[in-house]
Each structure stands twice: as structure tokens, then as C-alpha cells.
mmCIF file of all heavy atoms in Angstrom:
data_model
loop_
_atom_site.group_PDB
_atom_site.id
_atom_site.type_symbol
_atom_site.label_atom_id
_atom_site.label_comp_id
_atom_site.label_asym_id
_atom_site.label_seq_id
_atom_site.Cartn_x
_atom_site.Cartn_y
_atom_site.Cartn_z
ATOM 1 N N VAL P 545 150.845 -32.315 66.233
ATOM 2 C CA VAL P 545 151.396 -31.545 67.347
ATOM 3 C C VAL P 545 151.159 -32.260 68.669
ATOM 4 O O VAL P 545 152.065 -32.386 69.500
ATOM 5 C CB VAL P 545 150.783 -30.131 67.375
ATOM 6 C CG1 VAL P 545 151.113 -29.416 68.688
ATOM 7 C CG2 VAL P 545 151.282 -29.303 66.195
ATOM 8 N N MET P 546 149.945 -32.736 68.899
ATOM 9 C CA MET P 546 149.635 -33.409 70.160
ATOM 10 C C MET P 546 150.488 -34.653 70.351
ATOM 11 O O MET P 546 151.047 -34.882 71.431
ATOM 12 C CB MET P 546 148.148 -33.780 70.211
ATOM 13 C CG MET P 546 147.203 -32.613 70.278
ATOM 14 S SD MET P 546 145.502 -33.123 70.661
ATOM 15 C CE MET P 546 145.108 -34.150 69.236
ATOM 16 N N VAL P 547 150.602 -35.459 69.310
ATOM 17 C CA VAL P 547 151.338 -36.709 69.417
ATOM 18 C C VAL P 547 152.826 -36.445 69.629
ATOM 19 O O VAL P 547 153.491 -37.092 70.445
ATOM 20 C CB VAL P 547 151.100 -37.583 68.168
ATOM 21 C CG1 VAL P 547 151.970 -38.820 68.194
ATOM 22 C CG2 VAL P 547 149.625 -37.978 68.070
ATOM 23 N N GLU P 548 153.354 -35.464 68.905
ATOM 24 C CA GLU P 548 154.769 -35.136 69.069
ATOM 25 C C GLU P 548 155.080 -34.663 70.486
ATOM 26 O O GLU P 548 156.050 -35.100 71.111
ATOM 27 C CB GLU P 548 155.188 -34.062 68.076
ATOM 28 C CG GLU P 548 156.625 -33.615 68.261
ATOM 29 C CD GLU P 548 157.032 -32.500 67.315
ATOM 30 O OE1 GLU P 548 156.313 -32.235 66.332
ATOM 31 O OE2 GLU P 548 158.086 -31.898 67.580
ATOM 32 N N ALA P 549 154.258 -33.765 71.008
ATOM 33 C CA ALA P 549 154.488 -33.246 72.358
ATOM 34 C C ALA P 549 154.420 -34.365 73.385
ATOM 35 O O ALA P 549 155.224 -34.413 74.330
ATOM 36 C CB ALA P 549 153.466 -32.162 72.687
ATOM 37 N N ASP P 550 153.474 -35.268 73.218
ATOM 38 C CA ASP P 550 153.346 -36.404 74.131
ATOM 39 C C ASP P 550 154.598 -37.268 74.083
ATOM 40 O O ASP P 550 155.158 -37.665 75.115
ATOM 41 C CB ASP P 550 152.100 -37.201 73.746
ATOM 42 C CG ASP P 550 151.888 -38.403 74.647
ATOM 43 O OD1 ASP P 550 152.191 -38.310 75.839
ATOM 44 O OD2 ASP P 550 151.420 -39.441 74.145
ATOM 45 N N TYR P 551 155.045 -37.581 72.882
ATOM 46 C CA TYR P 551 156.243 -38.402 72.684
ATOM 47 C C TYR P 551 157.469 -37.781 73.338
ATOM 48 O O TYR P 551 158.208 -38.414 74.097
ATOM 49 C CB TYR P 551 156.462 -38.582 71.186
ATOM 50 C CG TYR P 551 157.774 -39.212 70.801
ATOM 51 C CD1 TYR P 551 158.007 -40.567 70.997
ATOM 52 C CD2 TYR P 551 158.789 -38.442 70.232
ATOM 53 C CE1 TYR P 551 159.208 -41.151 70.628
ATOM 54 C CE2 TYR P 551 159.994 -39.005 69.866
ATOM 55 C CZ TYR P 551 160.195 -40.361 70.069
ATOM 56 O OH TYR P 551 161.388 -40.914 69.711
ATOM 57 N N ARG P 552 157.702 -36.497 73.047
ATOM 58 C CA ARG P 552 158.888 -35.821 73.552
ATOM 59 C C ARG P 552 158.862 -35.719 75.066
ATOM 60 O O ARG P 552 159.894 -35.844 75.737
ATOM 61 C CB ARG P 552 158.986 -34.430 72.923
ATOM 62 C CG ARG P 552 159.160 -34.411 71.408
ATOM 63 C CD ARG P 552 160.579 -34.600 70.991
ATOM 64 N NE ARG P 552 161.415 -33.540 71.511
ATOM 65 C CZ ARG P 552 161.481 -32.302 70.978
ATOM 66 N NH1 ARG P 552 160.765 -32.002 69.905
ATOM 67 N NH2 ARG P 552 162.270 -31.404 71.506
ATOM 68 N N MET P 553 157.692 -35.479 75.638
ATOM 69 C CA MET P 553 157.580 -35.382 77.095
ATOM 70 C C MET P 553 158.004 -36.679 77.769
ATOM 71 O O MET P 553 158.736 -36.682 78.767
ATOM 72 C CB MET P 553 156.140 -35.023 77.472
ATOM 73 C CG MET P 553 155.803 -35.114 78.948
ATOM 74 S SD MET P 553 155.169 -36.760 79.423
ATOM 75 C CE MET P 553 153.609 -36.809 78.550
ATOM 76 N N LYS P 554 157.560 -37.819 77.221
ATOM 77 C CA LYS P 554 157.902 -39.090 77.846
ATOM 78 C C LYS P 554 159.398 -39.400 77.704
ATOM 79 O O LYS P 554 159.999 -39.993 78.599
ATOM 80 C CB LYS P 554 157.048 -40.208 77.261
ATOM 81 C CG LYS P 554 155.625 -40.189 77.812
ATOM 82 C CD LYS P 554 154.891 -41.462 77.484
ATOM 83 C CE LYS P 554 154.460 -41.522 76.044
ATOM 84 N NZ LYS P 554 153.399 -40.553 75.724
ATOM 85 N N LEU P 555 160.002 -38.989 76.602
ATOM 86 C CA LEU P 555 161.445 -39.186 76.460
ATOM 87 C C LEU P 555 162.206 -38.409 77.533
ATOM 88 O O LEU P 555 163.195 -38.890 78.085
ATOM 89 C CB LEU P 555 161.905 -38.750 75.069
ATOM 90 C CG LEU P 555 161.448 -39.593 73.879
ATOM 91 C CD1 LEU P 555 162.128 -39.100 72.610
ATOM 92 C CD2 LEU P 555 161.714 -41.066 74.087
ATOM 93 N N ILE P 556 161.741 -37.208 77.832
ATOM 94 C CA ILE P 556 162.357 -36.428 78.911
ATOM 95 C C ILE P 556 162.159 -37.138 80.248
ATOM 96 O O ILE P 556 163.078 -37.253 81.055
ATOM 97 C CB ILE P 556 161.765 -35.009 78.958
ATOM 98 C CG1 ILE P 556 162.236 -34.189 77.750
ATOM 99 C CG2 ILE P 556 162.163 -34.297 80.263
ATOM 100 C CD1 ILE P 556 161.596 -32.818 77.646
ATOM 101 N N GLY P 557 160.959 -37.654 80.466
ATOM 102 C CA GLY P 557 160.638 -38.293 81.733
ATOM 103 C C GLY P 557 161.535 -39.467 82.059
ATOM 104 O O GLY P 557 161.909 -39.665 83.218
ATOM 105 N N ILE P 558 161.897 -40.246 81.041
ATOM 106 C CA ILE P 558 162.708 -41.440 81.311
ATOM 107 C C ILE P 558 164.180 -41.246 80.999
ATOM 108 O O ILE P 558 164.961 -42.190 81.044
ATOM 109 C CB ILE P 558 162.186 -42.657 80.527
ATOM 110 C CG1 ILE P 558 162.384 -42.461 79.024
ATOM 111 C CG2 ILE P 558 160.742 -42.945 80.869
ATOM 112 C CD1 ILE P 558 162.254 -43.737 78.239
ATOM 113 N N GLY P 559 164.577 -40.017 80.682
ATOM 114 C CA GLY P 559 165.989 -39.743 80.503
ATOM 115 C C GLY P 559 166.551 -40.002 79.130
ATOM 116 O O GLY P 559 167.769 -40.020 78.947
ATOM 117 N N LEU P 560 165.684 -40.184 78.112
ATOM 118 C CA LEU P 560 166.168 -40.403 76.749
ATOM 119 C C LEU P 560 166.351 -39.107 75.973
ATOM 120 O O LEU P 560 166.966 -39.100 74.915
ATOM 121 C CB LEU P 560 165.209 -41.316 75.988
ATOM 122 C CG LEU P 560 165.313 -42.808 76.312
ATOM 123 C CD1 LEU P 560 164.281 -43.595 75.524
ATOM 124 C CD2 LEU P 560 166.713 -43.331 76.024
ATOM 125 N N GLU P 561 165.792 -38.031 76.470
ATOM 126 C CA GLU P 561 166.020 -36.722 75.856
ATOM 127 C C GLU P 561 166.337 -35.728 76.962
ATOM 128 O O GLU P 561 165.615 -35.642 77.957
ATOM 129 C CB GLU P 561 164.798 -36.250 75.057
ATOM 130 C CG GLU P 561 165.021 -34.895 74.407
ATOM 131 C CD GLU P 561 163.844 -34.447 73.548
ATOM 132 O OE1 GLU P 561 163.282 -35.292 72.835
ATOM 133 O OE2 GLU P 561 163.500 -33.256 73.597
ATOM 134 N N GLN P 562 167.416 -34.994 76.775
ATOM 135 C CA GLN P 562 167.812 -33.990 77.752
ATOM 136 C C GLN P 562 167.007 -32.717 77.508
ATOM 137 O O GLN P 562 167.088 -32.129 76.433
ATOM 138 C CB GLN P 562 169.305 -33.687 77.629
ATOM 139 C CG GLN P 562 169.841 -32.719 78.671
ATOM 140 C CD GLN P 562 169.772 -33.280 80.075
ATOM 141 O OE1 GLN P 562 169.943 -34.468 80.283
ATOM 142 N NE2 GLN P 562 169.536 -32.414 81.046
ATOM 143 N N PRO P 563 166.224 -32.252 78.482
ATOM 144 C CA PRO P 563 165.456 -31.034 78.256
ATOM 145 C C PRO P 563 166.367 -29.821 78.188
ATOM 146 O O PRO P 563 167.455 -29.821 78.794
ATOM 147 C CB PRO P 563 164.544 -30.968 79.487
ATOM 148 C CG PRO P 563 165.281 -31.707 80.551
ATOM 149 C CD PRO P 563 166.011 -32.812 79.824
ATOM 150 N N PRO P 564 165.966 -28.776 77.476
ATOM 151 C CA PRO P 564 166.811 -27.586 77.355
ATOM 152 C C PRO P 564 166.788 -26.698 78.589
ATOM 153 O O PRO P 564 167.473 -25.679 78.629
ATOM 154 C CB PRO P 564 166.210 -26.865 76.132
ATOM 155 C CG PRO P 564 164.773 -27.264 76.154
ATOM 156 C CD PRO P 564 164.750 -28.679 76.644
ATOM 157 N N VAL P 565 165.978 -27.038 79.579
ATOM 158 C CA VAL P 565 165.919 -26.297 80.837
ATOM 159 C C VAL P 565 166.047 -27.289 81.985
ATOM 160 O O VAL P 565 165.797 -28.490 81.826
ATOM 161 C CB VAL P 565 164.607 -25.494 80.967
ATOM 162 C CG1 VAL P 565 164.469 -24.516 79.819
ATOM 163 C CG2 VAL P 565 163.399 -26.421 81.009
ATOM 164 N N HIS P 566 166.419 -26.792 83.151
ATOM 165 C CA HIS P 566 166.565 -27.675 84.298
ATOM 166 C C HIS P 566 165.195 -28.097 84.823
ATOM 167 O O HIS P 566 164.326 -27.265 85.049
ATOM 168 C CB HIS P 566 167.339 -26.972 85.414
ATOM 169 C CG HIS P 566 167.446 -27.800 86.669
ATOM 170 N ND1 HIS P 566 168.258 -28.913 86.744
ATOM 171 C CD2 HIS P 566 166.821 -27.689 87.872
ATOM 172 C CE1 HIS P 566 168.147 -29.453 87.943
ATOM 173 N NE2 HIS P 566 167.292 -28.727 88.648
ATOM 174 N N MET P 567 165.013 -29.397 85.003
ATOM 175 C CA MET P 567 163.799 -29.911 85.617
ATOM 176 C C MET P 567 164.074 -31.293 86.186
ATOM 177 O O MET P 567 165.078 -31.934 85.857
ATOM 178 C CB MET P 567 162.639 -29.969 84.611
ATOM 179 C CG MET P 567 162.818 -30.999 83.513
ATOM 180 S SD MET P 567 161.323 -31.212 82.504
ATOM 181 C CE MET P 567 161.189 -29.592 81.763
ATOM 182 N N VAL P 568 163.173 -31.747 87.035
ATOM 183 C CA VAL P 568 163.277 -33.074 87.627
ATOM 184 C C VAL P 568 162.596 -34.068 86.699
ATOM 185 O O VAL P 568 161.431 -33.889 86.342
ATOM 186 C CB VAL P 568 162.620 -33.116 89.014
ATOM 187 C CG1 VAL P 568 162.637 -34.542 89.579
ATOM 188 C CG2 VAL P 568 163.325 -32.157 89.964
ATOM 189 N N SER P 569 163.298 -35.119 86.292
ATOM 190 C CA SER P 569 162.680 -36.163 85.480
ATOM 191 C C SER P 569 162.147 -37.264 86.376
ATOM 192 O O SER P 569 162.477 -37.343 87.566
ATOM 193 C CB SER P 569 163.684 -36.745 84.487
ATOM 194 O OG SER P 569 164.641 -37.548 85.156
ATOM 195 N N PHE P 570 161.339 -38.121 85.807
ATOM 196 C CA PHE P 570 160.831 -39.269 86.557
ATOM 197 C C PHE P 570 161.976 -40.171 86.996
ATOM 198 O O PHE P 570 162.039 -40.613 88.147
ATOM 199 C CB PHE P 570 159.843 -40.050 85.690
ATOM 200 C CG PHE P 570 159.396 -41.346 86.309
ATOM 201 C CD1 PHE P 570 158.410 -41.369 87.278
ATOM 202 C CD2 PHE P 570 159.978 -42.543 85.924
ATOM 203 C CE1 PHE P 570 158.004 -42.556 87.860
ATOM 204 C CE2 PHE P 570 159.583 -43.737 86.494
ATOM 205 C CZ PHE P 570 158.592 -43.746 87.462
ATOM 206 N N ILE P 571 162.891 -40.431 86.099
ATOM 207 C CA ILE P 571 163.968 -41.356 86.403
ATOM 208 C C ILE P 571 164.898 -40.811 87.471
ATOM 209 O O ILE P 571 165.576 -41.552 88.180
ATOM 210 C CB ILE P 571 164.742 -41.746 85.119
ATOM 211 C CG1 ILE P 571 165.568 -43.020 85.358
ATOM 212 C CG2 ILE P 571 165.598 -40.606 84.633
ATOM 213 C CD1 ILE P 571 164.755 -44.209 85.780
ATOM 214 N N ASP P 572 164.941 -39.464 87.629
ATOM 215 C CA ASP P 572 165.753 -38.876 88.691
ATOM 216 C C ASP P 572 165.277 -39.333 90.070
ATOM 217 O O ASP P 572 166.082 -39.492 90.992
ATOM 218 C CB ASP P 572 165.676 -37.341 88.643
ATOM 219 C CG ASP P 572 166.419 -36.756 87.463
ATOM 220 O OD1 ASP P 572 167.337 -37.419 86.948
ATOM 221 O OD2 ASP P 572 166.074 -35.629 87.060
ATOM 222 N N LYS P 573 163.975 -39.512 90.223
ATOM 223 C CA LYS P 573 163.384 -39.770 91.532
ATOM 224 C C LYS P 573 162.851 -41.194 91.707
ATOM 225 O O LYS P 573 162.487 -41.578 92.814
ATOM 226 C CB LYS P 573 162.225 -38.796 91.769
ATOM 227 C CG LYS P 573 162.640 -37.326 91.784
ATOM 228 C CD LYS P 573 163.523 -37.020 92.982
ATOM 229 C CE LYS P 573 163.863 -35.549 93.064
ATOM 230 N NZ LYS P 573 164.724 -35.233 94.221
ATOM 231 N N ALA P 574 162.771 -41.980 90.633
ATOM 232 C CA ALA P 574 162.123 -43.295 90.703
ATOM 233 C C ALA P 574 162.881 -44.252 91.601
ATOM 234 O O ALA P 574 164.101 -44.324 91.579
ATOM 235 C CB ALA P 574 161.991 -43.880 89.304
ATOM 236 N N THR P 575 162.135 -45.006 92.407
ATOM 237 C CA THR P 575 162.684 -46.053 93.256
ATOM 238 C C THR P 575 161.748 -47.248 93.199
ATOM 239 O O THR P 575 160.631 -47.169 92.665
ATOM 240 C CB THR P 575 162.806 -45.595 94.721
ATOM 241 O OG1 THR P 575 161.489 -45.391 95.256
ATOM 242 C CG2 THR P 575 163.608 -44.310 94.838
ATOM 243 N N ALA P 576 162.175 -48.350 93.790
ATOM 244 C CA ALA P 576 161.344 -49.548 93.807
ATOM 245 C C ALA P 576 160.027 -49.304 94.526
ATOM 246 O O ALA P 576 159.019 -49.952 94.238
ATOM 247 C CB ALA P 576 162.098 -50.691 94.479
ATOM 248 N N SER P 577 160.003 -48.352 95.452
ATOM 249 C CA SER P 577 158.775 -48.085 96.206
ATOM 250 C C SER P 577 157.691 -47.451 95.359
ATOM 251 O O SER P 577 156.553 -47.306 95.801
ATOM 252 C CB SER P 577 159.083 -47.170 97.393
ATOM 253 O OG SER P 577 159.546 -45.905 96.935
#
């Protein structure tokens, strides 16, 4: 359970999995800065 949740969270963060609810991903806001 822990490993799966960790994996899925990071996929959402970088835009590889679309979350079922609206949220801000890391890739939405990431810049060179």
C-alpha cells in the first residue's frame, strides 16, 4: 500500500496520471527558477 501510494502520487505530480479530482500538479507550476 505504501509503495503504491507513493508511486501514484509522483505520477500525478509530473503529469503521467490524471487525478480524478482537480488539483495543481508540480509540472503545472514548474519553471527553470
Side-chain angles (χ1 to χ4, degrees):
V545 168
M546 293 191 297
V547 174
E548 176 182 346
D550 180 35
Y551 170 73
R552 297 277 299 282
M553 170 269 293
K554 284 193 285 291
L555 292 186
I556 289 175
I558 67 164
L560 282 178
E561 180 177 319
Q562 184 65 35
V565 301
H566 176 72
M567 68 171 64
V568 176
S569 72
F570 173 80
I571 198 59
D572 289 336
K573 298 293 184 180
T575 66
S577 63

